[in-house]
Amino acid sequence: MRAGGDGRAHGLLGRPSSWLSRLAARSSRPSRTRGREASSQALGTRGAETGSQNNKKRLPCAILKKGKVNLFEQSRNPIIYGGAVERIDVEDAAGGSDALAPGKPVYFSDWKSRVIGWGFYNPTSMYRCRVMELASDSPDGSFASGDGDLLSSDRVASFLRRRILQAREARKAIGLPSAQKTNAYRLINSEGDSLSGLVVDRYGTDLVVQSSSAWVESHKDVVLAALAESAGDDPEEEDGAAETIAWRSDAGILKKEGVEVESGFELYKIERNGDGAAPTVAPAPEAGGPESMESLVLENGARFAVRLNMQKTGFYCDQRANRAHVRSLSRGKRCLDLCCYTGGFAVSAALGGATSVTGVDSSAAAIEVARRNAGLNDVECDFVAEDISKFMAKAADRGDKWDVVVLDPPKLCPSAKFLRQALRKYERLNAMAMDLVSPGGILVTCSCSGAVAKGMKFLPMLSSAAARAGRDLRVLRTAGASEDHMTSLSYPEGQYLTVVTLLVV
């Protein structure tokens, strides 16, 4: 998986012919076009010439509608929806009838056939094309990228390796991993790292991939190899070389992408020869009990067990800063953690000096790990496996109160279509939680629903919940995901997490 040609990581667009040949002819005439447009036209010309000389077939091309081009060329939106595509040009395309199968690479261009960039296409998904690279971002200034098949896994691997290395360097810039403090963090955050559809969390020497797009599944071997190579022996890497990759396929989302998966979880071992050769990735032997799927990690100095085959990637790294915040609030307080999962907030509160901590979650498996996490940190927490609505109703009947209450429910709004229904659920849960907060106490309440964040509906909902509970609120803090969950200004939809700290009067 080395970069082709002179060893540099080149872009993937290359030798278009046919309609770009016509573009080449036009480009040979004098032109007043300047800037990015001129660069892209020249790129198209070089690609056409090279393709003609070597009789290379080109990739298919998605022709964008006239009013949509700036969304991607200037605003740099990483997702091309179906409504932005005028038509697909597949004339003379490489790959024949499979050229437009889910996850295949394509060019995209404006209505004049001027190449703007490339991405992975999916005719069955609302995310019609996931943008990978713009013409202006190609490392060598063009998409005419030297020798080799433009559809080869080697060239895709070169691109992916470069992007993954960039993601790793970005985490180093914010101090992750940090020796003796934190080695559980998000390594790749989909659109935030210009790899739409791919999420990777790192837990010490374990990597967990969350696959939710056709291209990730169809390039699985390439992604595994690129991750193994980029997470290799690096003297500056404080948590050492990665040893294991857990692959989690989101079957529900992938079905909408036109992809059926046989297994939602697979485990791979990274094998390193130590002779300078690229590492290899092979299926790991069949695991034993739950502990064999477990990784022990550090977060803000606290120890946590992460079960790699549990929900999502096994741990919610996005709440790291918010758990530290709760820890700072908890000294001498009675704390309640609702939807506690594996006890992240509860254990943090106990480490912060809480006098008592109760954690509640409907998952018995999560509660089992939560108890283990309390033991790993030598703190006492009372964990209860029960539906939080039932727990809160019974606690209210008893008149129980807590000084600090954390409410972190699962995603209640899968899309904007369900926003009104979800807001009613959020309001009911928050009103019940407010009823359990002592006068002058604190409620830390969360939503991981992107549609709620985008619609800026969370604070108005809390106002309605306060009226319903007969309480008055003061906003102390608003926050989102931890800094390793980097987002793109071109894709605000990536800002899904909302965390509000309230003084409940």
Side-chain angles (χ1 to χ4, degrees), residues 180-181 297-304 327 347-348 351 377:
Q180 308 303 317
K181 189 174 181 181
V297 302
L298 289 171
E299 180 190 86
N300 297 322
R303 300 180 68 200
F304 290 99
R327 182 172 177 170
V347 170
S348 297
L351 289 170
N377 292 279

Side-chain angles (χ1 to χ4, degrees), residues 144-162:
S145 50
D147 296 330
D149 182 359
L150 296 176
L151 298 175
S152 71
S153 60
D154 284 345
R155 196 158 298 285
V156 174
S158 177
F159 169 81
L160 290 176
R161 181 177 179 275
R162 175 164 55 85

Side-chain angles (χ1 to χ4, degrees), residues 212-239:
S212 61
S213 67
W215 80 262
V216 177
E217 288 294 318
S218 64
H219 292 82
K220 183 176 183 177
D221 291 344
V222 178
V223 172
L224 286 169
L227 283 171
E229 188 172 354
S230 65
D233 295 301
D234 183 344
E236 297 182 3
E237 196 75 44
E238 295 180 354
D239 50 0

Side-chain angles (χ1 to χ4, degrees), residues 57-348:
K57 289 189 175 183
R58 61 178 179 82
L59 294 174
C61 184
I63 313 297
L64 302 181
K65 292 180 179 178
K66 189 171 184 178
K68 301 293 185 179
V69 172
N70 285 345
L71 285 173
F72 311 103
E73 186 173 32
Q74 295 182 12
S75 299
R76 306 175 69 88
N77 194 301
I79 301 290
I80 299 177
Y81 294 92
V85 178
E86 180 71 34
R87 68 183 188 277
I88 301 295
D89 183 356
V90 293
E91 181 186 352
D92 297 328
S97 61
D98 293 330
L100 289 179
K104 291 289 187 177
V106 299
Y107 294 108
F108 58 94
S109 76
D110 65 9
W111 67 100
K112 295 180 180 178
S113 298
R114 179 174 57 88
V115 173
I116 298 171
W118 76 276
F120 291 111
Y121 188 78
N122 192 336
T124 67
S125 172
M126 64 181 292
Y127 305 122
R128 197 56 51 86
C129 181
R130 296 177 186 266
V131 177
M132 291 290 118
E133 192 174 29
L134 298 179
S136 57
D137 296 336
S138 183
D140 60 355
S142 77
F143 290 140
S145 50
D147 296 330
D149 182 359
L150 296 176
L151 298 175
S152 71
S153 60
D154 284 345
R155 196 158 298 285
V156 174
S158 177
F159 169 81
L160 290 176
R161 181 177 179 275
R162 175 164 55 85
R163 278 284 159 86
I164 291 169
L165 288 172
Q166 289 172 350
R168 190 181 72 174
E169 290 304 310
R171 273 61 186 180
K172 285 184 179 181
I174 58 174
L176 291 173
S178 56
Q180 308 303 317
K181 189 174 181 181
T182 297
N183 64 359
Y185 58 96
R186 176 139 301 176
L187 176 63
I188 299 172
N189 194 41
S190 195
E191 291 83 13
D193 287 292
S194 300
L195 286 169
S196 176
L198 176 63
V199 166
V200 182
D201 284 343
R202 179 154 188 173
Y203 302 123
T205 58
D206 297 320
L207 299 174
V208 183
V209 176
Q210 186 176 345
S211 168
S212 61
S213 67
W215 80 262
V216 177
E217 288 294 318
S218 64
H219 292 82
K220 183 176 183 177
D221 291 344
V222 178
V223 172
L224 286 169
L227 283 171
E229 188 172 354
S230 65
D233 295 301
D234 183 344
E236 297 182 3
E237 196 75 44
E238 295 180 354
D239 50 0
E243 299 175 358
T244 303
I245 302 176
W247 188 280
R248 298 188 60 91
S249 300
D250 193 321
I253 295 179
L254 287 171
K255 188 173 183 179
K256 297 177 182 178
E257 291 265 313
V259 178
E260 298 286 344
V261 292
E262 295 182 1
S263 174
F265 181 85
E266 295 174 328
L267 201 62
Y268 296 87
K269 194 73 175 176
I270 301 174
E271 299 174 352
R272 304 183 190 280
N273 300 321
D275 57 0
T280 58
V281 180
E286 187 172 341
E291 291 77 12
S292 65
M293 296 275 193
E294 192 172 272
S295 181
L296 294 179
V297 302
L298 289 171
E299 180 190 86
N300 297 322
R303 300 180 68 200
F304 290 99
V306 178
R307 296 273 173 87
L308 304 182
N309 59 342
M310 286 185 66
Q311 190 172 340
K312 296 293 185 179
T313 65
F315 194 64
Y316 292 109
C317 298
D318 54 358
Q319 291 281 25
R320 179 176 59 256
N322 298 313
R323 284 190 282 263
H325 174 63
V326 167
R327 182 172 177 170
S328 72
L329 299 173
S330 300
R331 181 166 298 279
K333 306 289 180 60
R334 297 180 69 242
C335 299
L336 173 64
D337 182 6
L338 298 166
C339 298
C340 67
Y341 190 45
T342 58
F345 280 110
V347 170
S348 297

Side-chain angles (χ1 to χ4, degrees), residues 15-69:
R15 308 175 177 83
S17 56
S18 185
W19 56 271
L20 278 180
S21 297
R22 297 192 297 272
L23 173 62
R26 289 200 302 269
S27 298
S28 64
R29 296 195 297 266
S31 174
R32 297 180 181 179
T33 306
R34 295 178 296 177
R36 182 179 298 169
E37 183 174 351
S39 173
S40 295
Q41 286 180 335
L43 177 152
T45 303
R46 288 193 297 270
E49 291 172 348
T50 307
S52 176
Q53 292 168 2
N54 293 281
N55 196 29
K56 290 282 188 178
K57 289 189 175 183
R58 61 178 179 82
L59 294 174
C61 184
I63 313 297
L64 302 181
K65 292 180 179 178
K66 189 171 184 178
K68 301 293 185 179
V69 172

